[in-house]
Amino acid sequence: MQILGIEEITFGATDLAKCRQFFLDWGLALVAEADQELVFECMNGCRVVVAHSDKPGLPKGIEADPTLREVVWGVTSQGELDQLRTQFQALPDFYDADQRIGCTDPNGLALRIQVSQKRSVDVVCARTNTWGEHNRINEPSPAYERAQPIEVGHVVFFVTDLAATSAFYEKYLGFVVSDRYPDRGHFLRCAPQGGHHNLFLLQLPQPRAGLNHVAFTVRDLHEVFGGGLHMSRCGWDTELGPGKHPISSAIFWYFNNPAGALVEYYTDEDELTADWQAREFTPGPTMFAEWAIKGGIDGHTRRQKDAEAPTGRFMTDKSKN
Ligand SMILES: [Fe+2]
């Protein structure tokens, strides 16, 4: 049994009109809409649901809304789902309905598993040239007017018991720890081979349960920039970015999310195998971001916030005096 990744997430929120506009600007497709629920899809069919806090049947939140109420992970086959059913039966709030099985994780979050419904995608990504290795010949790199996320790549939670929550995902879902902040944070990937993390669990000095962010995978760094600039032009607020994580190597851009906490565009994370040895780090701002722009870049001026827009002359036109 191997978890393939995130299939669907459900937010609980109250301002659905604002969330609707936010996720349309973010680049998701609205595929269903009702009074108390919006259903969006990423490019590969990974779903983002925004449900009204009052919607009947919504799993209990780990904190006050707006926040994430449920995460659905995917497996390859019905056989794997049946195997998990046997193991899950003894777990808290065992769930078996709608072709999903599930339970509540040690942090209080509703967790579900289904046979993957995601589609394979065929997208063109930017090739890069480095010294001695030229992958892009007679071809400019792309620029994006806006982003179209491929899927939800990872979710990040504040947890009340890091050891117990990490052990749960390792034991029952086969997750592997990629890197650690000892006693403070675990980066976990779904399987020995895969991207650096699909789940990051963070225990604060005064532990509490909550959502930190949801991260959307985009094609390449140009799409992180294009998507972030578009969100800025639409009037949404950057928390931090663009920037680069030293752990995972990903290029990121974080925005405040009306459906809860932050959302992130990211790309180019490390790909790991069973040979990878988990590292240990001490938390700190330079471990979070190798570099980052606080407050983001203005989508109109294409300069950092509060910097002057270009004046119409080339920078190289400036006289020396
Ligand atoms: Fe992230």
Side-chain angles (χ1 to χ4, degrees):
M1 191 284 301
Q2 184 171 305
I3 298 292
L4 301 173
I6 296 163
E7 291 283 313
E8 181 178 302
I9 57 172
T10 298
F11 290 99
T14 50
D15 193 344
L16 261 56
K18 192 172 182 183
C19 296
R20 184 183 189 279
Q21 190 58 52
F22 181 84
F23 282 116
L24 287 173
D25 291 340
W26 190 247
L28 306 187
L30 183 62
V31 296
E33 190 170 5
D35 272 357
Q36 291 191 310
E37 189 177 74
L38 306 167
V39 182
F40 297 91
E41 272 191 9
C42 305
M43 203 188 291
N44 73 353
C46 177
R47 290 186 158 214
V48 174
V49 179
V50 184
H52 194 280
S53 302
D54 296 337
K55 184 174 183 279
L58 203 57
K60 189 165 61 72
I62 56 174
E63 63 185 334
D65 280 344
T67 192
L68 210 52
R69 295 285 196 104
E70 182 184 79
V71 177
V72 183
W73 300 87
V75 290
T76 309
S77 67
Q78 187 62 43
E80 288 187 326
L81 197 64
D82 293 340
Q83 191 188 328
L84 274 170
R85 177 179 289 109
T86 312
Q87 293 178 47
F88 268 52
Q89 271 164 359
L91 295 176
D93 305 324
F94 173 63
Y95 178 94
D96 188 357
D98 310 324
Q99 298 176 316
R100 290 175 176 168
I101 59 139
C103 67
T104 299
D105 80 8
N107 201 41
L109 181 78
L111 148 80
R112 306 284 181 257
I113 319 275
Q114 68 177 28
V115 177
S116 180
Q117 307 291 311
K118 291 193 291 192
R119 310 177 283 266
S120 62
V121 292
D122 185 16
V123 290
V124 177
C125 303
R127 286 187 284 264
T128 55
N129 295 334
T130 56
W131 181 259
E133 192 174 301
H134 305 136
N135 298 307
R136 201 181 70 252
I137 310 286
N138 297 330
E139 181 193 340
S141 67
Y144 298 84
E145 273 303 305
R146 54 180 305 175
Q148 191 181 359
I150 294 171
E151 65 176 0
V152 176
H154 64 260
V155 285
V156 178
F157 293 102
F158 298 114
V159 296
T160 51
D161 187 335
L162 175 63
T165 310
S166 183
F168 170 87
Y169 282 93
E170 292 170 70
K171 178 176 178 183
Y172 291 103
L173 276 71
F175 283 23
V176 180
V177 177
S178 299
D179 284 315
R180 286 183 185 84
Y181 294 118
D183 303 322
R184 291 289 303 277
H186 284 188
F187 296 89
L188 296 127
R189 61 192 190 276
C190 290
Q193 178 142 5
H196 183 273
H197 59 277
N198 305 101
L199 176 67
F200 177 37
L201 305 171
L202 199 53
Q203 184 173 316
L204 297 170
Q206 272 87 45
R208 67 173 177 89
L211 174 67
N212 179 273
H213 71 268
V214 169
F216 291 79
T217 317
V218 295
R219 281 165 271 194
D220 51 46
L221 65 93
H222 309 289
E223 194 173 12
V224 172
F225 300 146
L229 290 168
H230 177 72
M231 291 299 282
S232 168
R233 282 192 296 275
C234 290
W236 302 107
D237 290 331
T238 291
E239 168 64 23
L240 192 72
K244 182 172 177 287
H245 290 305
I247 302 172
S248 88
S249 309
I251 300 287
F252 66 77
W253 196 331
Y254 292 93
F255 281 83
N256 292 310
N257 173 20
L262 306 172
V263 285
E264 174 189 13
Y265 288 129
Y266 80 102
T267 194
D268 197 21
E269 71 170 339
D270 297 328
E271 180 75 10
L272 307 182
T273 72
D275 293 335
W276 176 258
Q277 299 290 314
R279 304 166 297 174
E280 295 190 346
F281 299 99
T282 304
T286 57
M287 290 316 306
F288 179 75
E290 174 193 324
W291 59 268
I293 297 177
K294 180 72 182 166
I297 297 177
D298 183 303
H300 296 288
T301 66
R302 312 292 177 122
R303 302 298 193 265
Q304 70 206 72
K305 285 274 171 75
D306 304 322
E308 283 178 20
T311 57
R313 289 192 312 166
F314 286 115
M315 220 164 67
T316 45
D317 285 346
K318 275 188 180 167
S319 84
K320 285 185 177 165
N321 300 317

